[in-house]
Amino acid sequence: MSVSAKDSYQKLKTAAQEKVKSLNDRPVVWVGTATCGKAAGAVDVREFFKEEIEKRGLDVRVMEIGCMGHCYAEPLVIIAKPGHPRLCYGYLDEGLTRRLVQDFLEGDDPCYEFALVALDPNDFFPTFTDFPRGVYEKKIILEDCGFIDPESIDEYIARDGYEAVAGVLEMEPEEVLRQVKASTLRGRGGAGFPAGVKWEACRKAAEKTRYVICNADEGDPGAFMDRSILESNPHLVIEGMVICAYTVEAAQGYFYIRSEYPQAVRRVNNALEQARDKGLLGNNILGSGFNFDIEVFEGSGAFVCGEGSALVSSMEGEMGVPRHKPPRLTASGFRGKPTVLNNVKTFAYVPHILRKGVEWFKNTGTEKSPGTAVFTLVGKVTNQGLVEVPMGTTLRQLIFDVGESVPNEKEFKAVQIGGPSGGCLPESVLDTPIDFDSLYDAGAIMGSGGLVVLDEDDCMVAIARYFLEFTQQESCGRCTFCRLGTKHMLDILTAITRGEGEQGSLEILQELAEDVKNGSLCNLGGTAPNPVLTTLRYFGDEYEAHIKERRCPALMCTHLVAFYIIPQKCSKLCNACVGSCPTEAIYTRDDGLKAINQEKCVKCNSCLKACPPEYNAVVKLSPPELVEERERENNK
Amino acid sequence: MELAAGEKEEILKHVGAVLEEFKTTRESLVPMLQAVQKKVGYLPELAMEKIAEGLDIPAVDVYGLATFYNQFRLNPPGRYQVKVCMGTACYMIGGKVALESFERRLDIQEGETTPDREFSLERVACVGCCSMAPVVLINDMVEGRVTPTRVDGLLLEYKDGEEKISEENKEEARTKGADNSSSNEEGERSA
């Protein structure tokens, strides 16, 4: 070893810092173009900015960044102009773009009335820490997401990126392992298995060819934090993988990314290329003599491939079917060799832990689950988006303070955590702290971090049915209980939502749920009944109403509701509902008021939305027989 | 579905290129199928048979894999691929209503393509823009807050106008030309 890894790194860092600094002494517009931003129109916004800036002949760079996690306000931009704090603007459109270019970039008025938040402390405008969300949030792995250019390795290095690798390369692998173990970092894929223990098992394996795989097969509907991290800060994960590889002495690594995430695949490939160029990946990393390279494998979209052994067999060109354990992957994984498989988020913590120390990491979170938890907060909540809070924060704080509660003055009903493997928790358990063990006791799991808030309009039987339909379709078919048991459970739930449930259905459902849990090899089957079990446990009365009264209390199950126009409220002067109906089910009565032909109605909700608030004449009735009753009453 | 004249040669050409490009080992099977689908748009039987030959494995293994994974499609995609998001947020707020509206208007079921190959309909897991639920993707254009009336509007727009066609399909659309004769009936109904 002629040059130390730290010296090589220092050279890279100085160069990167100079480069970044030279670029930042003129105004920059950063447009958030992760997938979520793109869906909201960020690409158009970027083009508007470029057009306007060019038209006015300004010297302003337009750059792309990842996702800041404030999805409710997309498309978002950050504008940095020397002399002003960096300001973030949301809900961008063509008009606002023109205004910002004209008044802020050309003129000098930052248009505070449109700004959401300032990123630097200043005397004029509030920063993140002035909002409730900023108080509860503590960002570790999302720290740089949305604030650095994911396609430029220099920005990452300038912010101490890859410093942990440089430090680690001068340590003995055992020492790195000791630190990771001491941090008690738990795997963020859902089960919470300690990462250090996994690495140690792999290191101890007799076979010397070893692999490191990053699991980015994020399949939960409603969870997209892994994608966000890969799209917003891919180098952080790569750095974590390099450290892991050094510890377990692996020479080859893989990213297993869903092919449904084309942008993540592209940005990771780009990042890998840049890391190789800088000598941070490939042969002789930072002159230390350590060799490690990473390739991307695109997964083909099978939920079960999130399970370790299924993932590995899908990489080998087979169907993604789980197998018996032991042997664990750390003994016999990819190509039968010892393999460490960790989630994107798990790897993302590693550089932080090694750079800032074990004690620093353990200061956040709870004793048994140190660190933070990342959630995609969606559903009926005001501030949707990606949030990172310390473990131990309660669900109530997360939903009502960080998420700023349920919009439209609706009543909170439940929160669904952990996707198809998780459960629905009611208001009464909202004071449960968020950590692996407490959530498990409440009947849900940490899972990959999807968190959907449900309000009074959501039917708990329907949501249980939705998740079961998902797992039923995604069951690989290996274990009989998972393959047939979930099908049978789904049939029962479908019958209940159609008002065809029978007495005793719930007992069968409960029994089947237990059997599927016990009779399945992997966690897909083992956790599939969770949504059903938790809704039965906490919302049994809704099931009862469906079965005994053929009534859907949330007015959601289409077979159990009917739409009705209240003649007393309807106006002869309005035709809004008629135009909105896709099936011409609404007709004008002889007296000029509107009514619905129940046989033609497809219960699509359009008329209810179309009816102007001053009339509010359309209502949903459950059970549907109520319509006839009302009509009789009105004809008297 | 019957292969049109010229399609067979096209498929064979692409499969040949893919077999050249990848190592002929079992591990390459998934990336190979992905590459073929990228070029051809779907996995025709012919392509699967040729790949099985190339790798010297039973054709049923290839078929098994192609049907196991959600990514692979066995039907040619329509000129406009309609994908209805069925993530949790979209489902709860009316994704199913949107899907049913498309099924009703296009007269096909989810997973099918209209006989004129104009539209194909499928459901996708979360596309990650839950705050705009329910979401529908038409090719790569994202449409948020889709109601049944919006469905009619969208179909009308894509049948009549060319303005919303995404970059990559522009070329194709120009060569195929616009065939709008079938759209009038639907247009009147929703107008």
Side-chain angles (χ1 to χ4, degrees), chain A residues 215 217-220 256 258 300-314 318-323 325 341 420-421 470-479 482 521-526, chain B residues 68-70:
Chain A
N215 186 347
D217 188 48
E218 187 179 46
D220 280 17
Y256 188 99
R258 292 174 77 194
S300 301
F303 181 63
V304 69
C305 288
E307 202 275 344
S309 59
L311 182 145
V312 163
S313 74
S314 97
E318 306 286 336
M319 282 185 242
V321 176
R323 61 159 171 74
K325 285 184 212 167
L341 176 73
S421 321
F470 179 83
T471 32
Q472 197 270 321
Q473 278 174 358
E474 294 291 342
S475 168
C476 73
R478 175 165 181 171
C479 310
C482 178
L521 196 58
C522 78
N523 267 335
L524 187 144
Chain B
F68 183 87
Y69 293 106
N70 297 330

Side-chain angles (χ1 to χ4, degrees), chain B:
Chain B
M1 206 171 277
E2 283 292 307
L3 295 178
E7 267 183 299
K8 200 173 159 189
E9 285 74 42
E10 183 87 342
I11 291 164
L12 287 176
K13 193 187 86 193
H14 288 310
V15 173
V18 165
L19 281 169
E20 290 272 300
E21 188 188 334
F22 289 92
K23 267 193 289 182
T24 46
T25 60
R26 179 80 195 224
E27 264 177 39
S28 314
L29 184 49
V30 172
M32 273 173 153
L33 293 179
Q34 285 171 338
V36 171
Q37 174 153 310
K38 209 170 192 175
K39 295 258 171 59
V40 186
Y42 72 113
L43 293 180
E45 250 178 67
L46 181 67
M48 288 192 273
E49 280 164 16
K50 288 288 161 203
I51 289 179
E53 259 173 49
L55 291 186
D56 199 18
I57 54 174
V60 68
D61 278 16
V62 180
Y63 182 75
L65 214 71
T67 47
F68 183 87
Y69 293 106
N70 297 330
Q71 185 192 6
F72 300 119
R73 51 181 312 145
L74 306 178
N75 293 324
R79 180 153 71 110
Y80 302 111
Q81 295 184 46
V82 180
K83 295 175 189 167
V84 184
C85 177
M86 282 287 166
T88 322
C90 290
Y91 178 84
M92 294 312 281
I93 219 160
K96 201 147 187 247
V97 173
L99 182 68
E100 284 168 358
S101 304
F102 276 110
E103 287 181 344
R104 200 164 43 235
R105 286 291 184 243
L106 295 172
D107 201 17
I108 50 172
Q109 294 297 303
E110 146 205 0
E112 294 179 348
T113 307
T114 51
D116 60 2
R117 294 204 192 176
E118 279 292 290
F119 289 93
S120 55
L121 182 62
E122 55 195 292
R123 56 156 80 192
V124 289
C126 195
V127 287
C129 24
C130 307
S131 47
M132 293 159 71
V135 172
V136 170
L137 283 143
I138 299 186
N139 290 342
D140 48 8
M141 284 294 302
V142 181
E143 293 289 337
R145 303 196 175 88
V146 178
T147 57
T149 15
R150 184 78 190 114
V151 168
D152 292 341
L154 283 171
L155 289 179
L156 202 62
E157 200 173 324
Y158 282 94
K159 276 182 173 165
D160 284 347
E162 302 264 305
E163 69 264 41
K164 278 220 163 180
I165 300 172
S166 61
E167 287 301 319
E168 56 194 272
N169 286 303
K170 248 180 198 159
E171 195 66 41
E172 199 189 336
R174 230 179 272 128
T175 51
K176 278 195 181 172
D179 178 17
N180 294 331
S181 53
S182 63
S183 69
N184 295 339
E185 191 199 339
E186 308 245 343
E188 275 162 24
R189 223 188 296 160
S190 67

Side-chain angles (χ1 to χ4, degrees), chain A residues 225-428:
Chain A
M225 63 287 280
D226 291 353
R227 185 201 68 206
S228 247
I229 293 170
L230 292 180
E231 284 177 0
S232 309
N233 196 1
H235 287 290
L236 180 63
V237 186
I238 296 172
E239 187 176 2
M241 287 175 75
V242 175
I243 294 170
C244 175
Y246 180 74
T247 315
V248 303
E249 293 172 23
Q252 182 64 46
Y254 294 91
F255 269 102
Y256 188 99
I257 308 178
R258 292 174 77 194
S259 57
E260 284 98 326
Y261 288 174
Q263 167 127 317
V265 170
R266 203 175 52 74
R267 284 194 173 159
V268 167
N269 270 323
N270 174 60
L272 291 172
E273 197 57 43
Q274 290 177 342
R276 275 184 213 116
D277 277 354
K278 299 264 180 198
L280 293 161
L281 209 55
N283 285 337
N284 195 12
I285 293 176
L286 288 174
S288 67
F290 171 62
N291 307 329
F292 178 66
D293 208 342
I294 305 177
E295 275 175 46
V296 173
F297 183 91
E298 287 184 50
S300 301
F303 181 63
V304 69
C305 288
E307 202 275 344
S309 59
L311 182 145
V312 163
S313 74
S314 97
M315 284 177 68
E316 290 165 351
E318 306 286 336
M319 282 185 242
V321 176
R323 61 159 171 74
H324 273 286
K325 285 184 212 167
R328 296 199 165 273
L329 292 186
T330 45
S332 172
F334 184 47
R335 293 174 183 155
K337 310 289 186 203
T339 303
V340 170
L341 176 73
N342 272 136
N343 178 267
V344 171
K345 295 177 288 274
T346 318
F347 282 125
Y349 282 107
V350 172
H352 287 285
I353 293 171
L354 285 154
R355 199 168 74 219
K356 301 174 192 166
V358 173
E359 284 315 308
W360 166 86
F361 181 69
K362 289 179 97 171
N363 273 339
T364 310
T366 62
E367 197 191 331
K368 285 194 173 160
S369 308
T372 53
V374 181
F375 287 104
T376 40
L377 195 57
V378 295
K380 309 286 176 57
V381 62
T382 311
N383 288 348
Q384 304 188 344
L386 215 55
V387 296
E388 181 170 5
V389 291
M391 292 274 188
T393 308
T394 65
L395 284 167
R396 193 182 299 280
Q397 287 167 332
L398 184 63
I399 294 162
F400 289 94
D401 295 321
V402 179
E404 288 186 20
S405 115
V406 181
N408 306 328
E409 295 176 3
K410 296 278 184 183
E411 199 69 39
F412 170 87
K413 188 189 245 175
V415 55
Q416 209 286 342
I417 306 176
S421 321
C424 294
L425 304 180
E427 218 266 332
S428 57

Side-chain angles (χ1 to χ4, degrees), chain A residues 505-515 533 536-537:
Chain A
S505 294
L506 296 185
E507 286 72 32
I508 302 176
L509 207 54
Q510 183 89 33
E511 202 184 315
L512 273 168
E514 300 293 338
D515 290 344
L533 285 172
L536 274 174
R537 176 166 154 195

Side-chain angles (χ1 to χ4, degrees), chain A residues 16-17 19-20 23-24 28 30 61 63-65 144 147-161 233 235 274:
Chain A
Q17 276 174 333
K19 193 167 168 199
V20 170
L23 287 172
N24 282 355
V28 192
W30 284 287
R61 280 194 312 149
M63 305 286 297
E64 289 183 29
I65 46 170
D144 289 334
F147 301 107
I148 63 171
D149 181 355
E151 310 216 349
S152 150
I153 193 171
D154 286 325
E155 288 205 20
Y156 182 67
I157 293 178
R159 288 183 168 223
D160 303 331
N233 196 1
H235 287 290
Q274 290 177 342

